Amino acid sequence: MSSIMAFAQQLDGYNCIYLNSHTNNQWGLDDRIKASFEKKGFKVVTSRTDIPNAPNERLATLELTYSFEIKYGGTPFNFKLKNMIGEQVFEAEGVGNTMSAKADANRACKRALGKMEKMPYKFDPSKTPKLPTPNTEKSSWTESQIREYLSTSRIEDVEGIYKNIGGSYFQIAILADQGKYLAIVMETDQPNWFVGSVKAIIEKLKSNYYNTCYFEDNYSKTETISELDKNGVLKIGNQSYMKLFPVPKE
């Protein structure tokens, strides 16, 4: 008995697989998956810290997760591939039915991988996804460049370095850019976000209020009105950011 299910897009824009295992290579499943993708031409890493840091290389990386359930009548094995901005690009399932749990899992895994193995593949960087946020020359600024600009220029109240209060960790620099203000990521603990990405686009309204386009952690956009209070706290929808530099005057 066997079954294969797959929903696939082309994999040509990717050349690295992050194998996010939850079984510690039970029955050699990690080894089987790793060998299959390496034979196809992918580089495979097994630690999140080994995912490339350079944006163009990181965006060419897919995270692989898998699951299986040993049960009478057939063991289903499913694996999924998501890119670094959270989009699912591939899913496949295979089923194994023997008299052994180990054999079932390995047979199901092999059948699920078989769909990927049969796909034509050639890495093409032009097909690698792009960040769905605006580009800006200031995204390449180092922290020292940002601090120098904020220290030596005539800046607006909203400009500065901020850290979020609660939620996923983000340190951002809000800088003037062509008549608007861009919130540029300086540090984050989110693997699908990159240093230099734009977290928000801010436009001055009146007083301490700003029209804001905010990118959520999954890159969806929220249109909202932001407010900067006298203590240097910028409220963007349900998110709040505290200004760290320059220190707000009391």
Side-chain angles (χ1 to χ4, degrees), residues 216-235:
E216 304 287 351
D217 290 358
N218 63 358
Y219 286 96
S220 63
K221 290 193 294 185
T222 296
E223 300 286 344
T224 187
I225 302 298
S226 302
E227 179 183 5
L228 178 66
D229 70 20
K230 63 181 181 180
N231 296 314
V233 175
L234 179 65
K235 297 179 180 179

Side-chain angles (χ1 to χ4, degrees), residues 27-241:
W27 297 323
L29 293 174
D30 291 2
D31 291 339
R32 179 181 288 278
I33 294 168
K34 186 172 184 289
S36 178
F37 277 91
E38 287 181 338
K39 184 177 180 180
K40 194 72 174 176
F42 290 89
K43 174 184 177 182
V44 180
V45 299
T46 55
S47 171
R48 191 173 292 278
T49 59
D50 291 331
I51 298 175
N53 287 320
N56 59 327
E57 295 178 13
R58 197 175 186 89
L59 287 165
T61 300
L62 292 169
E63 179 174 0
L64 186 152
T65 56
Y66 66 86
S67 62
F68 62 95
E69 181 182 2
I70 302 299
K71 59 183 182 180
Y72 179 77
T75 292
F77 179 100
N78 174 275
F79 78 91
K80 299 178 181 180
L81 294 171
K82 288 187 177 182
N83 62 25
M84 290 294 106
I85 55 178
E87 299 169 331
Q88 183 170 307
V89 301
F90 188 90
E91 179 179 11
E93 181 177 286
V95 175
N97 186 12
T98 70
M99 299 299 292
S100 161
K102 177 180 179 180
D104 275 0
N106 271 277
R107 180 172 292 183
C109 176
K110 180 179 180 181
R111 287 171 171 164
L113 291 169
K115 183 65 178 181
M116 178 276 301
E117 292 170 350
K118 293 176 182 178
M119 291 175 60
Y121 168 76
K122 183 179 181 181
F123 177 56
D124 182 351
S126 70
K127 296 180 180 179
T128 300
K130 305 295 187 293
L131 287 175
T133 63
N135 293 319
T136 171
E137 293 181 6
K138 292 181 179 178
S139 66
S140 63
W141 279 13
T142 63
E143 181 174 348
S144 60
Q145 287 175 306
I146 291 171
R147 287 182 177 272
E148 181 180 4
Y149 163 78
L150 294 172
S151 300
T152 60
S153 305
R154 295 183 60 183
I155 63 174
E156 299 294 329
D157 290 342
V158 74
E159 291 186 274
I161 297 173
Y162 294 76
K163 180 180 178 181
N164 66 305
I165 303 172
S168 305
Y169 169 63
F170 282 93
Q171 181 170 295
I172 60 175
I174 297 181
L175 307 172
D177 190 287
Q178 299 184 18
K180 299 180 181 180
Y181 304 95
L182 300 183
I184 300 171
V185 175
M186 297 176 66
E187 295 178 9
T188 181
D189 63 357
Q190 295 302 290
N192 61 319
W193 276 84
F194 303 82
V195 173
S197 300
V198 174
K199 189 66 173 162
I201 306 169
I202 299 169
E203 296 181 84
K204 178 85 171 179
L205 291 177
K206 62 179 182 178
S207 183
N208 56 338
Y209 292 95
Y210 302 84
N211 190 39
T212 304
C213 173
Y214 184 79
F215 293 91
E216 304 287 351
D217 290 358
N218 63 358
Y219 286 96
S220 63
K221 290 193 294 185
T222 296
E223 300 286 344
T224 187
I225 302 298
S226 302
E227 179 183 5
L228 178 66
D229 70 20
K230 63 181 181 180
N231 296 314
V233 175
L234 179 65
K235 297 179 180 179
I236 306 177
N238 295 324
Q239 307 294 322
S240 293
Y241 289 82

